[in-house]
Amino acid sequence: QVRLVESGGGLVQAGGSLRLSCAASGRTFSSSAMGWFRQAPGKEREFVATISWSGGSTRYADSVKGRFTISRDNAKNTVYLQMNSLKPEDTAVYYCNTNPPTGTYWGQGTQVTVSS
Protein backbone atom coordinates (compact mmCIF):
# COMPACT_ATOMS: atom_id res chain seq x y z
CA GLN A 1 0.00 0.00 0.00
CA VAL A 2 1.40 3.35 -1.04
CA ARG A 3 1.49 5.99 1.67
CA LEU A 4 2.68 9.58 1.76
CA VAL A 5 3.01 10.91 5.29
CA GLU A 6 3.54 14.61 5.84
CA SER A 7 5.06 16.03 9.02
CA GLY A 8 6.74 19.13 10.41
CA GLY A 9 3.81 21.52 10.53
CA GLY A 10 2.94 23.65 13.51
CA LEU A 11 2.19 27.12 14.83
CA VAL A 12 4.71 29.82 14.01
CA GLN A 13 4.78 33.60 14.11
CA ALA A 14 4.93 35.63 10.93
CA GLY A 15 8.49 35.79 9.67
CA GLY A 16 9.34 32.40 11.11
CA SER A 17 10.36 29.16 9.42
CA LEU A 18 9.25 25.56 9.22
CA ARG A 19 10.57 22.51 7.40
CA LEU A 20 8.03 20.00 6.17
CA SER A 21 8.85 16.40 5.34
CA CYS A 22 7.00 13.88 3.22
CA ALA A 23 7.97 10.26 3.77
CA ALA A 24 6.87 7.79 1.13
CA SER A 25 6.38 4.08 1.54
CA GLY A 26 4.96 1.24 -0.51
CA ARG A 27 6.86 2.13 -3.68
CA THR A 28 9.84 4.15 -4.71
CA PHE A 29 9.22 7.68 -5.97
CA SER A 30 12.77 8.24 -7.22
CA SER A 31 11.59 8.34 -10.83
CA SER A 32 8.60 10.61 -10.17
CA ALA A 33 8.26 14.36 -10.07
CA MET A 34 6.89 15.31 -6.67
CA GLY A 35 4.98 18.31 -5.45
CA TRP A 36 3.70 20.14 -2.43
CA PHE A 37 0.15 21.45 -2.36
CA ARG A 38 -1.89 23.29 0.25
CA GLN A 39 -5.49 23.93 1.15
CA ALA A 40 -6.58 26.87 3.24
CA PRO A 41 -9.97 26.92 5.01
CA GLY A 42 -12.77 27.56 2.54
CA LYS A 43 -10.46 27.39 -0.46
CA GLU A 44 -9.53 24.80 -3.04
CA ARG A 45 -6.27 22.90 -2.84
CA GLU A 46 -3.53 24.74 -4.72
CA PHE A 47 -0.10 24.03 -6.09
CA VAL A 48 2.89 25.22 -4.03
CA ALA A 49 6.06 23.69 -5.48
CA THR A 50 7.33 20.83 -7.58
CA ILE A 51 10.66 19.06 -8.07
CA SER A 52 11.83 16.78 -10.87
CA TRP A 53 12.77 13.17 -10.24
CA SER A 54 16.46 14.05 -10.10
CA GLY A 55 16.02 17.22 -8.07
CA GLY A 56 17.61 19.23 -10.84
CA SER A 57 14.53 21.23 -11.69
CA THR A 58 12.12 23.04 -9.40
CA ARG A 59 9.16 25.36 -9.88
CA TYR A 60 7.16 27.42 -7.42
CA ALA A 61 3.87 29.22 -7.15
CA ASP A 62 4.37 32.97 -7.41
CA SER A 63 3.04 33.40 -3.88
CA VAL A 64 5.93 31.42 -2.34
CA LYS A 65 8.76 32.07 -4.79
CA GLY A 66 11.88 33.24 -3.00
CA ARG A 67 10.61 32.07 0.40
CA PHE A 68 10.07 28.32 0.01
CA THR A 69 12.54 25.67 -1.18
CA ILE A 70 11.59 22.16 -2.25
CA SER A 71 14.17 19.37 -2.12
CA ARG A 72 14.29 15.59 -2.10
CA ASP A 73 16.41 12.69 -0.91
CA ASN A 74 15.71 9.72 -3.16
CA ALA A 75 17.73 7.39 -0.96
CA LYS A 76 15.28 8.12 1.84
CA ASN A 77 12.23 8.33 -0.44
CA THR A 78 11.50 11.69 1.18
CA VAL A 79 10.61 15.15 -0.08
CA TYR A 80 11.07 18.36 1.91
CA LEU A 81 9.70 21.88 1.89
CA GLN A 82 11.71 24.55 3.66
CA MET A 83 9.47 27.51 4.38
CA ASN A 84 11.00 30.83 5.40
CA SER A 85 9.57 34.29 5.97
CA LEU A 86 6.18 32.77 6.63
CA LYS A 87 3.08 34.93 6.29
CA PRO A 88 -0.41 34.53 7.78
CA GLU A 89 -1.69 33.77 4.27
CA ASP A 90 0.51 30.66 4.23
CA THR A 91 -1.80 29.12 6.83
CA ALA A 92 -3.15 25.87 5.37
CA VAL A 93 -2.94 22.11 5.44
CA TYR A 94 0.07 21.08 3.36
CA TYR A 95 0.12 17.89 1.32
CA CYS A 96 2.67 16.15 -0.85
CA ASN A 97 1.92 14.02 -3.90
CA THR A 98 3.30 13.16 -7.27
CA ASN A 99 3.08 15.95 -9.80
CA PRO A 100 0.65 15.79 -11.43
CA PRO A 101 -1.14 14.45 -8.36
CA THR A 102 -2.32 10.85 -8.03
CA GLY A 103 -5.76 10.79 -6.45
CA THR A 104 -5.20 7.75 -4.29
CA TYR A 105 -1.96 9.10 -2.81
CA TRP A 106 -3.41 12.05 -0.87
CA GLY A 107 -2.53 11.73 2.81
CA GLN A 108 -3.70 13.55 5.91
CA GLY A 109 -1.43 16.51 5.36
CA THR A 110 0.24 18.63 8.02
CA GLN A 111 -1.26 21.81 9.43
CA VAL A 112 0.73 25.03 9.19
CA THR A 113 -0.60 28.00 11.10
CA VAL A 114 1.10 31.39 10.89
CA SER A 115 0.08 34.00 13.43
CA SER A 116 0.37 37.71 12.77
PDB file of all heavy atoms in Angstrom, residues 25-51:
ATOM      1  N   SER A  25       6.184   5.511   1.343  1.00  0.00           N
ATOM      2  CA  SER A  25       6.377   4.080   1.535  1.00  0.00           C
ATOM      3  C   SER A  25       5.462   3.329   0.581  1.00  0.00           C
ATOM      4  O   SER A  25       4.503   3.885   0.052  1.00  0.00           O
ATOM      5  CB  SER A  25       6.074   3.684   2.984  1.00  0.00           C
ATOM      6  OG  SER A  25       4.732   3.963   3.308  1.00  0.00           O
ATOM      7  N   GLY A  26       5.781   2.074   0.357  1.00  0.00           N
ATOM      8  CA  GLY A  26       4.955   1.239  -0.515  1.00  0.00           C
ATOM      9  C   GLY A  26       5.446   1.171  -1.939  1.00  0.00           C
ATOM     10  O   GLY A  26       5.081   0.259  -2.684  1.00  0.00           O
ATOM     11  N   ARG A  27       6.230   2.142  -2.355  1.00  0.00           N
ATOM     12  CA  ARG A  27       6.857   2.132  -3.678  1.00  0.00           C
ATOM     13  C   ARG A  27       7.929   3.212  -3.671  1.00  0.00           C
ATOM     14  O   ARG A  27       7.911   4.119  -2.827  1.00  0.00           O
ATOM     15  CB  ARG A  27       5.864   2.399  -4.811  1.00  0.00           C
ATOM     16  CG  ARG A  27       5.108   3.692  -4.706  1.00  0.00           C
ATOM     17  CD  ARG A  27       4.599   4.210  -6.041  1.00  0.00           C
ATOM     18  NE  ARG A  27       5.652   4.903  -6.791  1.00  0.00           N
ATOM     19  CZ  ARG A  27       5.430   5.752  -7.793  1.00  0.00           C
ATOM     20  NH1 ARG A  27       4.191   5.976  -8.189  1.00  0.00           N
ATOM     21  NH2 ARG A  27       6.419   6.336  -8.418  1.00  0.00           N
ATOM     22  N   THR A  28       8.841   3.118  -4.595  1.00  0.00           N
ATOM     23  CA  THR A  28       9.844   4.151  -4.709  1.00  0.00           C
ATOM     24  C   THR A  28       9.335   5.284  -5.595  1.00  0.00           C
ATOM     25  O   THR A  28       8.666   5.032  -6.597  1.00  0.00           O
ATOM     26  CB  THR A  28      11.172   3.598  -5.267  1.00  0.00           C
ATOM     27  OG1 THR A  28      12.102   4.671  -5.385  1.00  0.00           O
ATOM     28  CG2 THR A  28      10.961   2.954  -6.624  1.00  0.00           C
ATOM     29  N   PHE A  29       9.630   6.511  -5.207  1.00  0.00           N
ATOM     30  CA  PHE A  29       9.220   7.681  -5.971  1.00  0.00           C
ATOM     31  C   PHE A  29      10.416   8.347  -6.655  1.00  0.00           C
ATOM     32  O   PHE A  29      10.304   9.466  -7.131  1.00  0.00           O
ATOM     33  CB  PHE A  29       8.520   8.689  -5.055  1.00  0.00           C
ATOM     34  CG  PHE A  29       7.142   8.260  -4.657  1.00  0.00           C
ATOM     35  CD1 PHE A  29       6.943   7.408  -3.589  1.00  0.00           C
ATOM     36  CD2 PHE A  29       6.033   8.696  -5.365  1.00  0.00           C
ATOM     37  CE1 PHE A  29       5.677   6.998  -3.222  1.00  0.00           C
ATOM     38  CE2 PHE A  29       4.765   8.298  -5.011  1.00  0.00           C
ATOM     39  CZ  PHE A  29       4.575   7.447  -3.929  1.00  0.00           C
ATOM     40  N   SER A  30      11.539   7.629  -6.705  1.00  0.00           N
ATOM     41  CA  SER A  30      12.768   8.241  -7.216  1.00  0.00           C
ATOM     42  C   SER A  30      12.692   8.587  -8.698  1.00  0.00           C
ATOM     43  O   SER A  30      13.504   9.385  -9.177  1.00  0.00           O
ATOM     44  CB  SER A  30      13.961   7.316  -6.968  1.00  0.00           C
ATOM     45  OG  SER A  30      13.744   6.072  -7.591  1.00  0.00           O
ATOM     46  N   SER A  31      11.727   8.015  -9.408  1.00  0.00           N
ATOM     47  CA  SER A  31      11.588   8.338 -10.827  1.00  0.00           C
ATOM     48  C   SER A  31      10.401   9.248 -11.101  1.00  0.00           C
ATOM     49  O   SER A  31      10.045   9.477 -12.256  1.00  0.00           O
ATOM     50  CB  SER A  31      11.441   7.050 -11.647  1.00  0.00           C
ATOM     51  OG  SER A  31      10.301   6.333 -11.230  1.00  0.00           O
ATOM     52  N   SER A  32       9.803   9.782 -10.031  1.00  0.00           N
ATOM     53  CA  SER A  32       8.596  10.608 -10.168  1.00  0.00           C
ATOM     54  C   SER A  32       8.867  12.052  -9.781  1.00  0.00           C
ATOM     55  O   SER A  32       9.544  12.317  -8.788  1.00  0.00           O
ATOM     56  CB  SER A  32       7.473  10.079  -9.284  1.00  0.00           C
ATOM     57  OG  SER A  32       7.147   8.758  -9.585  1.00  0.00           O
ATOM     58  N   ALA A  33       8.302  12.988 -10.550  1.00  0.00           N
ATOM     59  CA  ALA A  33       8.257  14.363 -10.074  1.00  0.00           C
ATOM     60  C   ALA A  33       7.322  14.409  -8.869  1.00  0.00           C
ATOM     61  O   ALA A  33       6.302  13.724  -8.847  1.00  0.00           O
ATOM     62  CB  ALA A  33       7.756  15.285 -11.168  1.00  0.00           C
ATOM     63  N   MET A  34       7.692  15.201  -7.885  1.00  0.00           N
ATOM     64  CA  MET A  34       6.890  15.309  -6.671  1.00  0.00           C
ATOM     65  C   MET A  34       6.504  16.763  -6.447  1.00  0.00           C
ATOM     66  O   MET A  34       7.156  17.684  -6.939  1.00  0.00           O
ATOM     67  CB  MET A  34       7.670  14.796  -5.469  1.00  0.00           C
ATOM     68  CG  MET A  34       8.052  13.334  -5.544  1.00  0.00           C
ATOM     69  SD  MET A  34       6.633  12.221  -5.537  1.00  0.00           S
ATOM     70  CE  MET A  34       6.015  12.466  -3.867  1.00  0.00           C
ATOM     71  N   GLY A  35       5.442  16.952  -5.691  1.00  0.00           N
ATOM     72  CA  GLY A  35       4.984  18.311  -5.449  1.00  0.00           C
ATOM     73  C   GLY A  35       4.435  18.497  -4.057  1.00  0.00           C
ATOM     74  O   GLY A  35       4.070  17.527  -3.383  1.00  0.00           O
ATOM     75  N   TRP A  36       4.402  19.748  -3.647  1.00  0.00           N
ATOM     76  CA  TRP A  36       3.700  20.138  -2.431  1.00  0.00           C
ATOM     77  C   TRP A  36       2.492  20.964  -2.839  1.00  0.00           C
ATOM     78  O   TRP A  36       2.564  21.796  -3.768  1.00  0.00           O
ATOM     79  CB  TRP A  36       4.608  20.964  -1.519  1.00  0.00           C
ATOM     80  CG  TRP A  36       5.601  20.144  -0.760  1.00  0.00           C
ATOM     81  CD1 TRP A  36       6.904  19.877  -1.096  1.00  0.00           C
ATOM     82  CD2 TRP A  36       5.379  19.463   0.484  1.00  0.00           C
ATOM     83  NE1 TRP A  36       7.484  19.085  -0.161  1.00  0.00           N
ATOM     84  CE2 TRP A  36       6.583  18.820   0.831  1.00  0.00           C
ATOM     85  CE3 TRP A  36       4.285  19.351   1.345  1.00  0.00           C
ATOM     86  CZ2 TRP A  36       6.719  18.067   1.995  1.00  0.00           C
ATOM     87  CZ3 TRP A  36       4.414  18.597   2.493  1.00  0.00           C
ATOM     88  CH2 TRP A  36       5.626  17.963   2.821  1.00  0.00           C
ATOM     89  N   PHE A  37       1.407  20.758  -2.115  1.00  0.00           N
ATOM     90  CA  PHE A  37       0.150  21.446  -2.362  1.00  0.00           C
ATOM     91  C   PHE A  37      -0.395  21.897  -1.011  1.00  0.00           C
ATOM     92  O   PHE A  37       0.010  21.379   0.027  1.00  0.00           O
ATOM     93  CB  PHE A  37      -0.840  20.502  -3.057  1.00  0.00           C
ATOM     94  CG  PHE A  37      -0.280  19.878  -4.309  1.00  0.00           C
ATOM     95  CD1 PHE A  37       0.511  18.741  -4.234  1.00  0.00           C
ATOM     96  CD2 PHE A  37      -0.533  20.415  -5.550  1.00  0.00           C
ATOM     97  CE1 PHE A  37       1.060  18.160  -5.371  1.00  0.00           C
ATOM     98  CE2 PHE A  37       0.010  19.849  -6.703  1.00  0.00           C
ATOM     99  CZ  PHE A  37       0.812  18.722  -6.600  1.00  0.00           C
ATOM    100  N   ARG A  38      -1.308  22.855  -1.022  1.00  0.00           N
ATOM    101  CA  ARG A  38      -1.888  23.291   0.247  1.00  0.00           C
ATOM    102  C   ARG A  38      -3.350  23.666   0.061  1.00  0.00           C
ATOM    103  O   ARG A  38      -3.782  24.010  -1.040  1.00  0.00           O
ATOM    104  CB  ARG A  38      -1.111  24.474   0.821  1.00  0.00           C
ATOM    105  CG  ARG A  38      -1.226  25.763   0.017  1.00  0.00           C
ATOM    106  CD  ARG A  38      -0.289  26.828   0.599  1.00  0.00           C
ATOM    107  NE  ARG A  38      -0.398  28.097  -0.124  1.00  0.00           N
ATOM    108  CZ  ARG A  38       0.385  29.147   0.115  1.00  0.00           C
ATOM    109  NH1 ARG A  38       1.333  29.090   1.059  1.00  0.00           N
ATOM    110  NH2 ARG A  38       0.223  30.275  -0.574  1.00  0.00           N
ATOM    111  N   GLN A  39      -4.084  23.573   1.160  1.00  0.00           N
ATOM    112  CA  GLN A  39      -5.492  23.930   1.149  1.00  0.00           C
ATOM    113  C   GLN A  39      -5.806  24.748   2.380  1.00  0.00           C
ATOM    114  O   GLN A  39      -5.678  24.252   3.509  1.00  0.00           O
ATOM    115  CB  GLN A  39      -6.377  22.688   1.086  1.00  0.00           C
ATOM    116  CG  GLN A  39      -7.841  23.014   0.907  1.00  0.00           C
ATOM    117  CD  GLN A  39      -8.673  21.795   0.552  1.00  0.00           C
ATOM    118  OE1 GLN A  39      -8.254  20.655   0.775  1.00  0.00           O
ATOM    119  NE2 GLN A  39      -9.846  22.021  -0.022  1.00  0.00           N
ATOM    120  N   ALA A  40      -6.180  25.980   2.157  1.00  0.00           N
ATOM    121  CA  ALA A  40      -6.584  26.869   3.244  1.00  0.00           C
ATOM    122  C   ALA A  40      -8.080  26.703   3.497  1.00  0.00           C
ATOM    123  O   ALA A  40      -8.817  26.266   2.611  1.00  0.00           O
ATOM    124  CB  ALA A  40      -6.267  28.311   2.880  1.00  0.00           C
ATOM    125  N   PRO A  41      -8.533  27.060   4.695  1.00  0.00           N
ATOM    126  CA  PRO A  41      -9.966  26.921   5.009  1.00  0.00           C
ATOM    127  C   PRO A  41     -10.846  27.652   3.998  1.00  0.00           C
ATOM    128  O   PRO A  41     -10.599  28.823   3.688  1.00  0.00           O
ATOM    129  CB  PRO A  41     -10.076  27.552   6.392  1.00  0.00           C
ATOM    130  CG  PRO A  41      -8.714  27.394   6.984  1.00  0.00           C
ATOM    131  CD  PRO A  41      -7.765  27.544   5.843  1.00  0.00           C
ATOM    132  N   GLY A  42     -11.832  26.941   3.474  1.00  0.00           N
ATOM    133  CA  GLY A  42     -12.768  27.556   2.540  1.00  0.00           C
ATOM    134  C   GLY A  42     -12.251  27.734   1.134  1.00  0.00           C
ATOM    135  O   GLY A  42     -12.930  28.322   0.286  1.00  0.00           O
ATOM    136  N   LYS A  43     -11.045  27.234   0.870  1.00  0.00           N
ATOM    137  CA  LYS A  43     -10.458  27.390  -0.456  1.00  0.00           C
ATOM    138  C   LYS A  43     -10.127  26.037  -1.063  1.00  0.00           C
ATOM    139  O   LYS A  43     -10.049  25.032  -0.362  1.00  0.00           O
ATOM    140  CB  LYS A  43      -9.199  28.251  -0.381  1.00  0.00           C
ATOM    141  CG  LYS A  43      -9.444  29.687   0.061  1.00  0.00           C
ATOM    142  CD  LYS A  43      -8.174  30.509  -0.038  1.00  0.00           C
ATOM    143  CE  LYS A  43      -8.422  31.953   0.338  1.00  0.00           C
ATOM    144  NZ  LYS A  43      -7.183  32.773   0.228  1.00  0.00           N
ATOM    145  N   GLU A  44      -9.911  26.036  -2.377  1.00  0.00           N
ATOM    146  CA  GLU A  44      -9.530  24.799  -3.043  1.00  0.00           C
ATOM    147  C   GLU A  44      -8.038  24.538  -2.819  1.00  0.00           C
ATOM    148  O   GLU A  44      -7.251  25.447  -2.556  1.00  0.00           O
ATOM    149  CB  GLU A  44      -9.819  24.906  -4.548  1.00  0.00           C
ATOM    150  CG  GLU A  44     -11.292  24.988  -4.881  1.00  0.00           C
ATOM    151  CD  GLU A  44     -11.547  24.889  -6.370  1.00  0.00           C
ATOM    152  OE1 GLU A  44     -10.572  24.895  -7.147  1.00  0.00           O
ATOM    153  OE2 GLU A  44     -12.724  24.817  -6.758  1.00  0.00           O
ATOM    154  N   ARG A  45      -7.678  23.263  -2.951  1.00  0.00           N
ATOM    155  CA  ARG A  45      -6.270  22.904  -2.844  1.00  0.00           C
ATOM    156  C   ARG A  45      -5.507  23.531  -3.995  1.00  0.00           C
ATOM    157  O   ARG A  45      -5.983  23.543  -5.135  1.00  0.00           O
ATOM    158  CB  ARG A  45      -6.130  21.385  -2.854  1.00  0.00           C
ATOM    159  CG  ARG A  45      -4.742  20.881  -2.559  1.00  0.00           C
ATOM    160  CD  ARG A  45      -4.755  19.500  -1.911  1.00  0.00           C
ATOM    161  NE  ARG A  45      -5.729  18.607  -2.475  1.00  0.00           N
ATOM    162  CZ  ARG A  45      -6.163  17.499  -1.860  1.00  0.00           C
ATOM    163  NH1 ARG A  45      -5.699  17.190  -0.663  1.00  0.00           N
ATOM    164  NH2 ARG A  45      -7.038  16.715  -2.439  1.00  0.00           N
ATOM    165  N   GLU A  46      -4.320  24.049  -3.699  1.00  0.00           N
ATOM    166  CA  GLU A  46      -3.534  24.737  -4.720  1.00  0.00           C
ATOM    167  C   GLU A  46      -2.102  24.236  -4.740  1.00  0.00           C
ATOM    168  O   GLU A  46      -1.580  23.719  -3.756  1.00  0.00           O
ATOM    169  CB  GLU A  46      -3.528  26.258  -4.461  1.00  0.00           C
ATOM    170  CG  GLU A  46      -2.855  26.678  -3.184  1.00  0.00           C
ATOM    171  CD  GLU A  46      -2.783  28.196  -3.017  1.00  0.00           C
ATOM    172  OE1 GLU A  46      -3.302  28.930  -3.859  1.00  0.00           O
ATOM    173  OE2 GLU A  46      -2.178  28.625  -2.008  1.00  0.00           O
ATOM    174  N   PHE A  47      -1.488  24.414  -5.880  1.00  0.00           N
ATOM    175  CA  PHE A  47      -0.096  24.031  -6.086  1.00  0.00           C
ATOM    176  C   PHE A  47       0.824  24.974  -5.330  1.00  0.00           C
ATOM    177  O   PHE A  47       0.608  26.189  -5.302  1.00  0.00           O
ATOM    178  CB  PHE A  47       0.206  24.077  -7.586  1.00  0.00           C
ATOM    179  CG  PHE A  47       1.665  24.061  -7.932  1.00  0.00           C
ATOM    180  CD1 PHE A  47       2.366  22.871  -7.931  1.00  0.00           C
ATOM    181  CD2 PHE A  47       2.335  25.231  -8.245  1.00  0.00           C
ATOM    182  CE1 PHE A  47       3.709  22.847  -8.249  1.00  0.00           C
ATOM    183  CE2 PHE A  47       3.676  25.226  -8.575  1.00  0.00           C
ATOM    184  CZ  PHE A  47       4.364  24.029  -8.576  1.00  0.00           C
ATOM    185  N   VAL A  48       1.893  24.407  -4.735  1.00  0.00           N
ATOM    186  CA  VAL A  48       2.886  25.216  -4.032  1.00  0.00           C
ATOM    187  C   VAL A  48       4.257  25.112  -4.719  1.00  0.00           C
ATOM    188  O   VAL A  48       4.869  26.121  -5.049  1.00  0.00           O
ATOM    189  CB  VAL A  48       3.007  24.793  -2.556  1.00  0.00           C
ATOM    190  CG1 VAL A  48       4.146  25.549  -1.872  1.00  0.00           C
ATOM    191  CG2 VAL A  48       1.691  25.002  -1.821  1.00  0.00           C
ATOM    192  N   ALA A  49       4.722  23.872  -4.907  1.00  0.00           N
ATOM    193  CA  ALA A  49       6.058  23.689  -5.481  1.00  0.00           C
ATOM    194  C   ALA A  49       6.173  22.288  -6.054  1.00  0.00           C
ATOM    195  O   ALA A  49       5.461  21.379  -5.623  1.00  0.00           O
ATOM    196  CB  ALA A  49       7.137  23.902  -4.422  1.00  0.00           C
ATOM    197  N   THR A  50       7.082  22.132  -7.011  1.00  0.00           N
ATOM    198  CA  THR A  50       7.325  20.826  -7.584  1.00  0.00           C
ATOM    199  C   THR A  50       8.818  20.645  -7.834  1.00  0.00           C
ATOM    200  O   THR A  50       9.560  21.631  -8.011  1.00  0.00           O
ATOM    201  CB  THR A  50       6.525  20.616  -8.883  1.00  0.00           C
ATOM    202  OG1 THR A  50       6.683  19.269  -9.334  1.00  0.00           O
ATOM    203  CG2 THR A  50       7.014  21.554  -9.984  1.00  0.00           C
ATOM    204  N   ILE A  51       9.254  19.382  -7.842  1.00  0.00           N
ATOM    205  CA  ILE A  51      10.656  19.064  -8.071  1.00  0.00           C
ATOM    206  C   ILE A  51      10.727  17.860  -8.996  1.00  0.00           C
ATOM    207  O   ILE A  51       9.937  16.917  -8.880  1.00  0.00           O
ATOM    208  CB  ILE A  51      11.377  18.799  -6.732  1.00  0.00           C
ATOM    209  CG1 ILE A  51      12.882  18.629  -6.939  1.00  0.00           C
ATOM    210  CG2 ILE A  51      10.776  17.606  -5.991  1.00  0.00           C
ATOM    211  CD1 ILE A  51      13.677  18.684  -5.628  1.00  0.00           C
TER     212      ILE A  51
END
